Tab-separated table of all heavy atoms in Angstrom:
chain	number	residue	atom	x	y	z
A	40	MET	N	30.367	-1.154	-18.074
A	40	MET	CA	30.336	-1.092	-16.619
A	40	MET	C	31.426	-2.013	-16.082
A	40	MET	O	31.497	-3.174	-16.475
A	40	MET	CB	28.977	-1.534	-16.131
A	40	MET	CG	28.666	-1.108	-14.749
A	40	MET	SD	27.025	-1.596	-14.180
A	40	MET	CE	26.057	-0.260	-14.912
A	41	ASN	N	32.250	-1.506	-15.215
A	41	ASN	CA	33.301	-2.391	-14.649
A	41	ASN	C	32.789	-3.078	-13.400
A	41	ASN	O	31.710	-2.749	-12.892
A	41	ASN	CB	34.587	-1.632	-14.424
A	41	ASN	CG	34.505	-0.586	-13.309
A	41	ASN	OD1	33.852	-0.866	-12.289
A	41	ASN	ND2	35.125	0.553	-13.488
A	42	MET	N	33.551	-3.984	-12.886
A	42	MET	CA	33.102	-4.785	-11.738
A	42	MET	C	32.948	-4.005	-10.452
A	42	MET	O	32.375	-4.509	-9.500
A	42	MET	CB	34.037	-5.981	-11.539
A	42	MET	CG	35.455	-5.593	-11.226
A	42	MET	SD	36.590	-6.960	-11.298
A	42	MET	CE	36.301	-7.785	-9.805
A	43	HIS	N	33.413	-2.757	-10.384
A	43	HIS	CA	33.319	-1.953	-9.173
A	43	HIS	C	32.145	-1.005	-9.204
A	43	HIS	O	31.867	-0.391	-8.204
A	43	HIS	CB	34.656	-1.190	-8.928
A	43	HIS	CG	35.778	-2.107	-8.734
A	43	HIS	ND1	35.931	-2.871	-7.590
A	43	HIS	CD2	36.860	-2.399	-9.506
A	43	HIS	CE1	37.051	-3.605	-7.695
A	43	HIS	NE2	37.621	-3.316	-8.855
A	44	GLN	N	31.487	-0.893	-10.325
A	44	GLN	CA	30.283	-0.036	-10.378
A	44	GLN	C	29.070	-0.853	-9.944
A	44	GLN	O	28.994	-2.034	-10.199
A	44	GLN	CB	30.101	0.463	-11.778
A	44	GLN	CG	31.155	1.483	-12.224
A	44	GLN	CD	30.939	1.913	-13.632
A	44	GLN	OE1	30.658	1.106	-14.528
A	44	GLN	NE2	31.105	3.216	-13.893
A	45	THR	N	28.128	-0.174	-9.319
A	45	THR	CA	26.928	-0.853	-8.888
A	45	THR	C	25.801	-0.450	-9.824
A	45	THR	O	25.780	0.645	-10.369
A	45	THR	CB	26.560	-0.483	-7.443
A	45	THR	OG1	26.338	0.937	-7.336
A	45	THR	CG2	27.616	-0.894	-6.455
A	46	ILE	N	24.868	-1.363	-9.950
A	46	ILE	CA	23.691	-1.073	-10.741
A	46	ILE	C	22.646	-0.409	-9.853
A	46	ILE	O	22.362	-0.954	-8.760
A	46	ILE	CB	23.130	-2.390	-11.330
A	46	ILE	CG1	24.156	-3.034	-12.241
A	46	ILE	CG2	21.811	-2.172	-12.043
A	46	ILE	CD1	23.799	-4.416	-12.749
A	47	PRO	N	22.161	0.725	-10.240
A	47	PRO	CA	21.162	1.415	-9.364
A	47	PRO	C	19.923	0.539	-9.236
A	47	PRO	O	19.493	-0.099	-10.214
A	47	PRO	CB	20.849	2.707	-10.085
A	47	PRO	CG	21.438	2.632	-11.426
A	47	PRO	CD	22.392	1.470	-11.472
A	48	THR	N	19.380	0.514	-8.052
A	48	THR	CA	18.160	-0.280	-7.784
A	48	THR	C	17.016	0.638	-7.528
A	48	THR	O	17.178	1.719	-7.037
A	48	THR	CB	18.367	-1.229	-6.589
A	48	THR	OG1	18.650	-0.456	-5.454
A	48	THR	CG2	19.455	-2.236	-6.823
A	49	ARG	N	15.853	0.171	-7.883
A	49	ARG	CA	14.650	0.931	-7.641
A	49	ARG	C	13.910	0.310	-6.471
A	49	ARG	O	14.014	-0.889	-6.240
A	49	ARG	CB	13.742	0.912	-8.852
A	49	ARG	CG	14.321	1.663	-10.040
A	49	ARG	CD	13.349	1.751	-11.167
A	49	ARG	NE	13.017	0.403	-11.724
A	49	ARG	CZ	12.199	0.190	-12.689
A	49	ARG	NH1	11.591	1.191	-13.274
A	49	ARG	NH2	12.005	-1.024	-13.147
A	50	PRO	N	13.112	1.090	-5.764
A	50	PRO	CA	12.305	0.510	-4.708
A	50	PRO	C	11.338	-0.525	-5.273
A	50	PRO	O	11.015	-0.456	-6.461
A	50	PRO	CB	11.499	1.691	-4.141
A	50	PRO	CG	12.199	2.919	-4.642
A	50	PRO	CD	12.910	2.547	-5.904
A	51	PRO	N	10.918	-1.498	-4.481
A	51	PRO	CA	9.994	-2.512	-5.013
A	51	PRO	C	8.662	-1.901	-5.452
A	51	PRO	O	8.295	-0.839	-5.006
A	51	PRO	CB	9.833	-3.481	-3.819
A	51	PRO	CG	10.304	-2.741	-2.614
A	51	PRO	CD	11.256	-1.669	-3.070
A	52	LEU	N	7.980	-2.649	-6.291
A	52	LEU	CA	6.706	-2.219	-6.806
A	52	LEU	C	5.598	-2.918	-6.014
A	52	LEU	O	5.693	-4.099	-5.698
A	52	LEU	CB	6.585	-2.554	-8.280
A	52	LEU	CG	5.316	-2.074	-9.018
A	52	LEU	CD1	5.260	-0.536	-9.054
A	52	LEU	CD2	5.336	-2.630	-10.431
A	53	TYR	N	4.526	-2.184	-5.731
A	53	TYR	CA	3.384	-2.730	-4.922
A	53	TYR	C	2.111	-2.548	-5.713
A	53	TYR	O	1.943	-1.562	-6.439
A	53	TYR	CB	3.282	-2.028	-3.607
A	53	TYR	CG	4.414	-2.239	-2.667
A	53	TYR	CD1	5.568	-1.440	-2.774
A	53	TYR	CD2	4.449	-3.300	-1.785
A	53	TYR	CE1	6.651	-1.642	-1.901
A	53	TYR	CE2	5.508	-3.484	-0.934
A	53	TYR	CZ	6.621	-2.671	-1.019
A	53	TYR	OH	7.672	-2.884	-0.176
A	54	ALA	N	1.139	-3.451	-5.449
A	54	ALA	CA	-0.229	-3.303	-5.916
A	54	ALA	C	-1.057	-2.911	-4.701
A	54	ALA	O	-1.066	-3.608	-3.688
A	54	ALA	CB	-0.730	-4.577	-6.526
A	55	VAL	N	-1.727	-1.778	-4.767
A	55	VAL	CA	-2.554	-1.248	-3.665
A	55	VAL	C	-3.992	-1.247	-4.168
A	55	VAL	O	-4.334	-0.586	-5.104
A	55	VAL	CB	-2.128	0.154	-3.268
A	55	VAL	CG1	-2.881	0.630	-2.070
A	55	VAL	CG2	-0.612	0.192	-3.003
A	56	THR	N	-4.834	-2.062	-3.501
A	56	THR	CA	-6.233	-2.280	-3.914
A	56	THR	C	-7.180	-1.728	-2.854
A	56	THR	O	-6.985	-1.911	-1.656
A	56	THR	CB	-6.508	-3.773	-4.145
A	56	THR	OG1	-5.561	-4.254	-5.084
A	56	THR	CG2	-7.918	-4.006	-4.669
A	57	LEU	N	-8.204	-1.003	-3.324
A	57	LEU	CA	-9.197	-0.486	-2.414
A	57	LEU	C	-10.239	-1.585	-2.107
A	57	LEU	O	-10.785	-2.198	-3.042
A	57	LEU	CB	-9.926	0.705	-3.113
A	57	LEU	CG	-10.958	1.464	-2.325
A	57	LEU	CD1	-10.290	2.144	-1.103
A	57	LEU	CD2	-11.666	2.472	-3.150
A	58	ILE	N	-10.465	-1.819	-0.817
A	58	ILE	CA	-11.354	-2.910	-0.362
A	58	ILE	C	-12.545	-2.356	0.393
A	58	ILE	O	-12.394	-1.504	1.275
A	58	ILE	CB	-10.547	-3.873	0.569
A	58	ILE	CG1	-9.281	-4.392	-0.087
A	58	ILE	CG2	-11.434	-4.987	1.047
A	58	ILE	CD1	-9.501	-5.248	-1.286
A	59	ASP	N	-13.722	-2.880	0.055
A	59	ASP	CA	-14.939	-2.500	0.744
A	59	ASP	C	-15.060	-3.351	2.016
A	59	ASP	O	-15.132	-4.593	1.944
A	59	ASP	CB	-16.141	-2.744	-0.218
A	59	ASP	CG	-17.463	-2.316	0.357
A	59	ASP	OD1	-17.652	-2.300	1.601
A	59	ASP	OD2	-18.319	-1.940	-0.451
A	60	ARG	N	-14.993	-2.701	3.160
A	60	ARG	CA	-15.067	-3.485	4.410
A	60	ARG	C	-16.388	-4.228	4.609
A	60	ARG	O	-16.416	-5.258	5.292
A	60	ARG	CB	-14.917	-2.529	5.607
A	60	ARG	CG	-13.556	-1.951	5.799
A	60	ARG	CD	-13.496	-1.070	7.045
A	60	ARG	NE	-12.210	-0.375	7.199
A	60	ARG	CZ	-11.161	-0.891	7.807
A	60	ARG	NH1	-11.198	-2.108	8.313
A	60	ARG	NH2	-10.050	-0.170	7.890
A	61	ARG	N	-17.447	-3.730	4.021
A	61	ARG	CA	-18.758	-4.403	4.169
A	61	ARG	C	-18.813	-5.743	3.492
A	61	ARG	O	-19.511	-6.653	3.935
A	61	ARG	CB	-19.866	-3.452	3.621
A	61	ARG	CG	-19.955	-2.160	4.407
A	61	ARG	CD	-20.730	-1.112	3.644
A	61	ARG	NE	-19.914	-0.714	2.492
A	61	ARG	CZ	-20.201	0.276	1.707
A	61	ARG	NH1	-21.303	1.000	1.912
A	61	ARG	NH2	-19.420	0.591	0.712
A	62	THR	N	-18.105	-5.882	2.374
A	62	THR	CA	-18.145	-7.129	1.583
A	62	THR	C	-16.832	-7.910	1.654
A	62	THR	O	-16.827	-9.109	1.439
A	62	THR	CB	-18.449	-6.826	0.103
A	62	THR	OG1	-17.369	-6.104	-0.447
A	62	THR	CG2	-19.753	-6.112	-0.040
A	63	GLY	N	-15.713	-7.182	1.878
A	63	GLY	CA	-14.405	-7.834	1.884
A	63	GLY	C	-13.852	-7.928	0.466
A	63	GLY	O	-12.764	-8.468	0.267
A	64	TYR	N	-14.572	-7.413	-0.525
A	64	TYR	CA	-14.169	-7.506	-1.893
A	64	TYR	C	-13.596	-6.139	-2.394
A	64	TYR	O	-13.939	-5.110	-1.881
A	64	TYR	CB	-15.343	-7.874	-2.810
A	64	TYR	CG	-15.839	-9.269	-2.588
A	64	TYR	CD1	-17.021	-9.541	-1.967
A	64	TYR	CD2	-15.076	-10.384	-3.057
A	64	TYR	CE1	-17.462	-10.842	-1.754
A	64	TYR	CE2	-15.500	-11.655	-2.858
A	64	TYR	CZ	-16.706	-11.881	-2.216
A	64	TYR	OH	-17.124	-13.162	-2.003
A	65	PRO	N	-12.735	-6.223	-3.421
A	65	PRO	CA	-12.215	-4.956	-3.996
A	65	PRO	C	-13.342	-4.146	-4.626
A	65	PRO	O	-14.333	-4.698	-5.141
A	65	PRO	CB	-11.288	-5.437	-5.116
A	65	PRO	CG	-10.942	-6.871	-4.797
A	65	PRO	CD	-12.178	-7.395	-4.079
A	66	HIS	N	-13.184	-2.852	-4.546
A	66	HIS	CA	-14.064	-1.909	-5.225
A	66	HIS	C	-13.832	-2.054	-6.717
A	66	HIS	O	-12.675	-2.171	-7.147
A	66	HIS	CB	-13.781	-0.483	-4.737
A	66	HIS	CG	-14.637	0.519	-5.444
A	66	HIS	ND1	-16.005	0.542	-5.339
A	66	HIS	CD2	-14.291	1.586	-6.217
A	66	HIS	CE1	-16.464	1.579	-6.044
A	66	HIS	NE2	-15.414	2.237	-6.575
A	67	ARG	N	-14.863	-2.090	-7.522
A	67	ARG	CA	-14.685	-2.269	-8.967
A	67	ARG	C	-15.185	-1.082	-9.733
A	67	ARG	O	-16.190	-0.462	-9.392
A	67	ARG	CB	-15.435	-3.523	-9.427
A	67	ARG	CG	-14.831	-4.749	-8.791
A	67	ARG	CD	-15.369	-6.058	-9.432
A	67	ARG	NE	-14.650	-7.182	-8.900
A	67	ARG	CZ	-13.497	-7.651	-9.396
A	67	ARG	NH1	-12.933	-7.075	-10.426
A	67	ARG	NH2	-12.914	-8.688	-8.877
A	68	VAL	N	-14.463	-0.751	-10.789
A	68	VAL	CA	-14.857	0.319	-11.723
A	68	VAL	C	-14.946	-0.335	-13.091
A	68	VAL	O	-13.913	-0.865	-13.571
A	68	VAL	CB	-13.835	1.450	-11.683
A	68	VAL	CG1	-14.183	2.508	-12.717
A	68	VAL	CG2	-13.727	2.074	-10.282
A	69	ASN	N	-16.109	-0.314	-13.683
A	69	ASN	CA	-16.327	-0.959	-14.979
A	69	ASN	C	-15.866	-2.406	-14.977
A	69	ASN	O	-15.307	-2.922	-15.933
A	69	ASN	CB	-15.637	-0.200	-16.120
A	69	ASN	CG	-16.278	1.173	-16.326
A	69	ASN	OD1	-17.474	1.336	-16.171
A	69	ASN	ND2	-15.445	2.111	-16.707
A	70	GLY	N	-16.060	-3.082	-13.848
A	70	GLY	CA	-15.763	-4.497	-13.720
A	70	GLY	C	-14.336	-4.819	-13.296
A	70	GLY	O	-14.037	-5.977	-12.961
A	71	ALA	N	-13.460	-3.807	-13.284
A	71	ALA	CA	-12.058	-4.087	-12.884
A	71	ALA	C	-11.820	-3.564	-11.459
A	71	ALA	O	-12.300	-2.481	-11.077
A	71	ALA	CB	-11.087	-3.377	-13.847
A	72	ALA	N	-11.066	-4.340	-10.659
A	72	ALA	CA	-10.750	-3.899	-9.340
A	72	ALA	C	-9.907	-2.610	-9.358
A	72	ALA	O	-9.006	-2.471	-10.215
A	72	ALA	CB	-9.938	-5.003	-8.615
A	73	LEU	N	-10.251	-1.699	-8.493
A	73	LEU	CA	-9.540	-0.411	-8.389
A	73	LEU	C	-8.217	-0.682	-7.722
A	73	LEU	O	-8.157	-0.898	-6.510
A	73	LEU	CB	-10.336	0.620	-7.667
A	73	LEU	CG	-9.719	2.017	-7.577
A	73	LEU	CD1	-9.459	2.574	-8.967
A	73	LEU	CD2	-10.634	2.946	-6.769
A	74	THR	N	-7.110	-0.705	-8.504
A	74	THR	CA	-5.788	-1.037	-7.988
A	74	THR	C	-4.812	0.016	-8.502
A	74	THR	O	-4.810	0.349	-9.661
A	74	THR	CB	-5.329	-2.421	-8.428
A	74	THR	OG1	-6.279	-3.386	-7.920
A	74	THR	CG2	-3.954	-2.774	-7.888
A	75	ALA	N	-3.981	0.523	-7.590
A	75	ALA	CA	-2.913	1.439	-7.971
A	75	ALA	C	-1.587	0.697	-7.858
A	75	ALA	O	-1.365	-0.103	-6.920
A	75	ALA	CB	-2.865	2.669	-7.052
A	76	PHE	N	-0.707	0.885	-8.822
A	76	PHE	CA	0.628	0.278	-8.798
A	76	PHE	C	1.617	1.383	-8.413
A	76	PHE	O	1.621	2.460	-9.083
A	76	PHE	CB	0.960	-0.358	-10.118
A	76	PHE	CG	0.040	-1.476	-10.475
A	76	PHE	CD1	-1.059	-1.257	-11.260
A	76	PHE	CD2	0.252	-2.763	-9.981
A	76	PHE	CE1	-1.946	-2.274	-11.584
A	76	PHE	CE2	-0.650	-3.792	-10.263
A	76	PHE	CZ	-1.741	-3.534	-11.057
A	77	SER	N	2.381	1.152	-7.376
A	77	SER	CA	3.206	2.231	-6.865
A	77	SER	C	4.471	1.711	-6.183
A	77	SER	O	4.497	0.576	-5.668
A	77	SER	CB	2.410	3.038	-5.833
A	77	SER	OG	3.157	4.081	-5.266
A	78	ARG	N	5.513	2.522	-6.172
A	78	ARG	CA	6.711	2.257	-5.390
A	78	ARG	C	6.628	2.908	-4.034
A	78	ARG	O	7.503	2.719	-3.203
A	78	ARG	CB	7.927	2.727	-6.156
A	78	ARG	CG	8.102	1.940	-7.466
A	78	ARG	CD	9.455	2.147	-8.095
A	78	ARG	NE	9.463	1.559	-9.454
A	78	ARG	CZ	9.578	0.247	-9.710
A	78	ARG	NH1	9.705	-0.600	-8.709
A	78	ARG	NH2	9.604	-0.182	-10.936
A	79	ASP	N	5.555	3.672	-3.797
A	79	ASP	CA	5.285	4.291	-2.483
A	79	ASP	C	3.866	3.863	-2.052
A	79	ASP	O	2.889	4.588	-2.239
A	79	ASP	CB	5.368	5.799	-2.612
A	79	ASP	CG	5.214	6.518	-1.291
A	79	ASP	OD1	4.843	5.891	-0.279
A	79	ASP	OD2	5.441	7.760	-1.243
A	80	PRO	N	3.722	2.657	-1.523
A	80	PRO	CA	2.410	2.144	-1.230
A	80	PRO	C	1.604	2.917	-0.192
A	80	PRO	O	0.392	2.978	-0.260
A	80	PRO	CB	2.672	0.697	-0.788
A	80	PRO	CG	4.073	0.721	-0.261
A	80	PRO	CD	4.779	1.703	-1.099
A	81	ALA	N	2.325	3.536	0.793
A	81	ALA	CA	1.599	4.320	1.788
A	81	ALA	C	0.922	5.534	1.156
A	81	ALA	O	-0.214	5.832	1.452
A	81	ALA	CB	2.574	4.781	2.908
A	82	GLN	N	1.618	6.169	0.229
A	82	GLN	CA	1.025	7.301	-0.470
A	82	GLN	C	-0.142	6.875	-1.389
A	82	GLN	O	-1.178	7.516	-1.432
A	82	GLN	CB	2.044	8.095	-1.284
A	82	GLN	CG	1.480	9.314	-1.979
A	82	GLN	CD	0.940	10.361	-1.024
A	82	GLN	OE1	1.629	10.765	-0.115
A	82	GLN	NE2	-0.299	10.755	-1.218
A	83	ALA	N	0.035	5.766	-2.065
A	83	ALA	CA	-1.018	5.230	-2.915
A	83	ALA	C	-2.256	4.897	-2.101
A	83	ALA	O	-3.395	5.180	-2.511
A	83	ALA	CB	-0.537	4.044	-3.698
A	84	ALA	N	-2.061	4.314	-0.928
A	84	ALA	CA	-3.176	3.978	-0.033
A	84	ALA	C	-3.897	5.281	0.406
A	84	ALA	O	-5.137	5.364	0.389
A	84	ALA	CB	-2.710	3.217	1.171
A	85	ARG	N	-3.122	6.301	0.791
A	85	ARG	CA	-3.741	7.575	1.196
A	85	ARG	C	-4.543	8.165	0.025
A	85	ARG	O	-5.673	8.655	0.256
A	85	ARG	CB	-2.659	8.555	1.655
A	85	ARG	CG	-2.112	8.301	3.035
A	85	ARG	CD	-1.273	9.417	3.568
A	85	ARG	NE	-0.076	9.667	2.786
A	85	ARG	CZ	1.085	8.976	2.965
A	85	ARG	NH1	1.187	8.062	3.913
A	85	ARG	NH2	2.134	9.241	2.208
A	86	ASP	N	-4.018	8.096	-1.183
A	86	ASP	CA	-4.718	8.624	-2.334
A	86	ASP	C	-6.041	7.872	-2.586
A	86	ASP	O	-7.046	8.490	-2.864
A	86	ASP	CB	-3.859	8.549	-3.571
A	86	ASP	CG	-2.677	9.516	-3.541
A	86	ASP	OD1	-2.647	10.435	-2.677
A	86	ASP	OD2	-1.737	9.339	-4.358
A	87	LEU	N	-5.971	6.540	-2.480
A	87	LEU	CA	-7.197	5.785	-2.722
A	87	LEU	C	-8.258	5.995	-1.667
A	87	LEU	O	-9.478	5.902	-1.923
A	87	LEU	CB	-6.869	4.266	-2.803
A	87	LEU	CG	-6.156	3.790	-4.059
A	87	LEU	CD1	-5.743	2.321	-3.914
A	87	LEU	CD2	-7.050	3.947	-5.272
A	88	LEU	N	-7.835	6.283	-0.428
A	88	LEU	CA	-8.751	6.453	0.675
A	88	LEU	C	-9.192	7.896	0.844
A	88	LEU	O	-10.121	8.147	1.655
A	88	LEU	CB	-8.130	5.952	1.984
A	88	LEU	CG	-7.900	4.458	2.081
A	88	LEU	CD1	-7.011	4.104	3.266
A	88	LEU	CD2	-9.204	3.709	2.121
A	89	ALA	N	-8.620	8.814	0.116
A	89	ALA	CA	-8.946	10.250	0.288
A	89	ALA	C	-10.448	10.484	-0.010
A	89	ALA	O	-10.981	10.005	-1.013
A	89	ALA	CB	-8.099	11.075	-0.696
A	90	GLY	N	-11.129	11.107	0.993
A	90	GLY	CA	-12.551	11.407	0.834
A	90	GLY	C	-13.464	10.239	1.090
A	90	GLY	O	-14.671	10.347	0.876
A	91	ARG	N	-12.927	9.096	1.508
A	91	ARG	CA	-13.756	7.933	1.766
A	91	ARG	C	-13.864	7.684	3.273
A	91	ARG	O	-12.987	7.998	4.011
A	91	ARG	CB	-13.153	6.685	1.111
A	91	ARG	CG	-13.078	6.790	-0.403
A	91	ARG	CD	-12.513	5.532	-0.985
A	91	ARG	NE	-12.138	5.636	-2.360
A	91	ARG	CZ	-12.931	5.604	-3.391
A	91	ARG	NH1	-14.216	5.370	-3.217
A	91	ARG	NH2	-12.470	5.758	-4.640
A	92	ASP	N	-14.973	7.096	3.662
A	92	ASP	CA	-15.207	6.776	5.046
A	92	ASP	C	-14.330	5.588	5.480
A	92	ASP	O	-14.478	4.505	4.942
A	92	ASP	CB	-16.679	6.393	5.273
A	92	ASP	CG	-17.042	6.081	6.724
A	92	ASP	OD1	-16.156	5.919	7.565
A	92	ASP	OD2	-18.229	6.032	7.001
A	93	PRO	N	-13.390	5.796	6.408
A	93	PRO	CA	-12.467	4.673	6.803
A	93	PRO	C	-13.196	3.525	7.500
A	93	PRO	O	-12.643	2.450	7.617
A	93	PRO	CB	-11.456	5.358	7.750
A	93	PRO	CG	-12.112	6.582	8.205
A	93	PRO	CD	-13.092	7.018	7.134
A	94	ASN	N	-14.435	3.735	7.901
A	94	ASN	CA	-15.229	2.634	8.476
A	94	ASN	C	-15.743	1.722	7.395
A	94	ASN	O	-16.162	0.598	7.673
A	94	ASN	CB	-16.405	3.161	9.317
A	94	ASN	CG	-15.894	3.854	10.574
A	94	ASN	OD1	-14.991	3.360	11.239
A	94	ASN	ND2	-16.473	5.013	10.834
A	95	GLN	N	-15.754	2.199	6.136
A	95	GLN	CA	-16.264	1.392	5.023
A	95	GLN	C	-15.192	0.912	4.067
A	95	GLN	O	-15.457	-0.005	3.265
A	95	GLN	CB	-17.296	2.216	4.262
A	95	GLN	CG	-18.558	2.468	5.073
A	95	GLN	CD	-19.596	3.238	4.271
A	95	GLN	OE1	-19.454	3.444	3.055
A	95	GLN	NE2	-20.649	3.655	4.932
A	96	TRP	N	-14.008	1.548	4.106
A	96	TRP	CA	-12.952	1.233	3.132
A	96	TRP	C	-11.634	1.028	3.811
A	96	TRP	O	-11.317	1.612	4.818
A	96	TRP	CB	-12.818	2.385	2.121
A	96	TRP	CG	-14.050	2.679	1.388
A	96	TRP	CD1	-14.982	3.654	1.685
A	96	TRP	CD2	-14.588	1.976	0.262
A	96	TRP	NE1	-15.999	3.620	0.817
A	96	TRP	CE2	-15.809	2.590	-0.073
A	96	TRP	CE3	-14.118	0.904	-0.478
A	96	TRP	CZ2	-16.585	2.135	-1.157
A	96	TRP	CZ3	-14.903	0.463	-1.558
A	96	TRP	CH2	-16.077	1.086	-1.857
A	97	HIS	N	-10.817	0.130	3.221
A	97	HIS	CA	-9.417	-0.012	3.617
A	97	HIS	C	-8.665	-0.424	2.341
A	97	HIS	O	-9.271	-0.622	1.284
A	97	HIS	CB	-9.250	-0.978	4.777
A	97	HIS	CG	-9.400	-2.428	4.416
A	97	HIS	ND1	-8.401	-3.263	4.144
A	97	HIS	CD2	-10.550	-3.183	4.336
A	97	HIS	CE1	-8.875	-4.482	3.888
A	97	HIS	NE2	-10.153	-4.462	3.983
A	98	THR	N	-7.348	-0.536	2.442
A	98	THR	CA	-6.572	-0.948	1.288
A	98	THR	C	-5.799	-2.240	1.592
A	98	THR	O	-5.505	-2.531	2.769
A	98	THR	CB	-5.582	0.146	0.857
A	98	THR	OG1	-4.753	0.485	1.952
A	98	THR	CG2	-6.274	1.387	0.327
A	99	ARG	N	-5.514	-2.943	0.578
A	99	ARG	CA	-4.683	-4.173	0.642
A	99	ARG	C	-3.451	-3.846	-0.166
A	99	ARG	O	-3.496	-3.470	-1.300
A	99	ARG	CB	-5.416	-5.369	0.087
A	99	ARG	CG	-4.578	-6.678	0.093
A	99	ARG	CD	-5.323	-7.824	-0.461
A	99	ARG	NE	-6.614	-7.980	0.175
A	99	ARG	CZ	-7.703	-8.342	-0.468
A	99	ARG	NH1	-7.702	-8.527	-1.761
A	99	ARG	NH2	-8.835	-8.495	0.156
A	100	ILE	N	-2.282	-4.043	0.457
A	100	ILE	CA	-0.999	-3.733	-0.184
A	100	ILE	C	-0.244	-5.053	-0.365
A	100	ILE	O	0.011	-5.741	0.602
A	100	ILE	CB	-0.162	-2.755	0.648
A	100	ILE	CG1	-0.928	-1.449	0.790
A	100	ILE	CG2	1.231	-2.552	0.028
A	100	ILE	CD1	-0.294	-0.449	1.796
A	101	LEU	N	0.059	-5.373	-1.627
A	101	LEU	CA	0.792	-6.589	-1.960
A	101	LEU	C	2.066	-6.235	-2.730
A	101	LEU	O	1.999	-5.546	-3.750
A	101	LEU	CB	-0.079	-7.526	-2.786
A	101	LEU	CG	-1.353	-8.021	-2.156
A	101	LEU	CD1	-2.181	-8.799	-3.150
A	101	LEU	CD2	-1.009	-8.918	-0.955
A	102	PRO	N	3.214	-6.762	-2.282
A	102	PRO	CA	4.412	-6.541	-3.067
A	102	PRO	C	4.378	-7.349	-4.360
A	102	PRO	O	3.895	-8.475	-4.362
A	102	PRO	CB	5.556	-6.976	-2.129
A	102	PRO	CG	4.884	-7.921	-1.214
A	102	PRO	CD	3.453	-7.535	-1.064
A	103	LEU	N	4.892	-6.772	-5.425
A	103	LEU	CA	5.003	-7.515	-6.681
A	103	LEU	C	6.457	-7.908	-6.869
A	103	LEU	O	7.337	-7.081	-6.751
A	103	LEU	CB	4.532	-6.638	-7.861
A	103	LEU	CG	3.090	-6.140	-7.739
A	103	LEU	CD1	2.768	-5.217	-8.894
A	103	LEU	CD2	2.138	-7.336	-7.739
A	104	THR	N	6.678	-9.174	-7.110
A	104	THR	CA	8.058	-9.656	-7.223
A	104	THR	C	8.549	-9.553	-8.666
A	104	THR	O	7.753	-9.527	-9.617
A	104	THR	CB	8.184	-11.096	-6.755
A	104	THR	OG1	7.309	-11.885	-7.560
A	104	THR	CG2	7.799	-11.214	-5.298
A	105	GLY	N	9.869	-9.448	-8.837
A	105	GLY	CA	10.429	-9.451	-10.150
A	105	GLY	C	10.377	-8.081	-10.826
A	105	GLY	O	10.553	-8.001	-12.045
A	106	HIS	N	10.176	-6.987	-10.066
A	106	HIS	CA	10.115	-5.654	-10.682
A	106	HIS	C	11.126	-4.765	-10.089
A	106	HIS	O	11.213	-4.301	-9.114
A	106	HIS	CB	8.728	-5.051	-10.484
A	106	HIS	CG	7.680	-5.858	-11.212
A	106	HIS	ND1	7.411	-5.697	-12.557
A	106	HIS	CD2	6.916	-6.875	-10.801
A	106	HIS	CE1	6.468	-6.515	-12.908
A	106	HIS	NE2	6.130	-7.255	-11.883
């Protein structure tokens, strides 16, 4: 690669976690928090919330650094 070529960059990676509004805690499956890792956090949030009551669930989106 010469000095005039650019290195392609990828969008940042995010952790999207499903949160129970009643408790404020992440929803757990077999003891592990239900978290999706995605470069499109809005779509991941929609997927996690699909079919769920928005009065009982929301998502937390956190950027992951170094990816």
Side-chain angles (χ1 to χ4, degrees):
M40 197 178 279
N41 69 38
M42 61 191 282
H43 297 290
Q44 291 177 317
T45 59
I46 298 171
T48 59
R49 294 187 295 179
L52 185 63
Y53 295 86
V55 184
T56 305
L57 185 63
I58 305 295
D59 186 328
R60 288 183 186 272
R61 297 163 291 189
T62 65
Y64 291 107
H66 178 61
R67 295 191 173 275
V68 176
N69 293 327
L73 182 59
T74 300
F76 297 95
S77 178
R78 295 192 189 284
D79 184 350
Q82 181 62 52
R85 284 191 296 275
D86 291 345
L87 287 172
L88 292 169
R91 299 182 193 277
D92 181 347
N94 292 316
Q95 294 182 6
W96 301 98
H97 73 96
T98 56
R99 179 180 306 140
I100 299 172
L101 298 173
L103 300 176
T104 59
H106 296 276

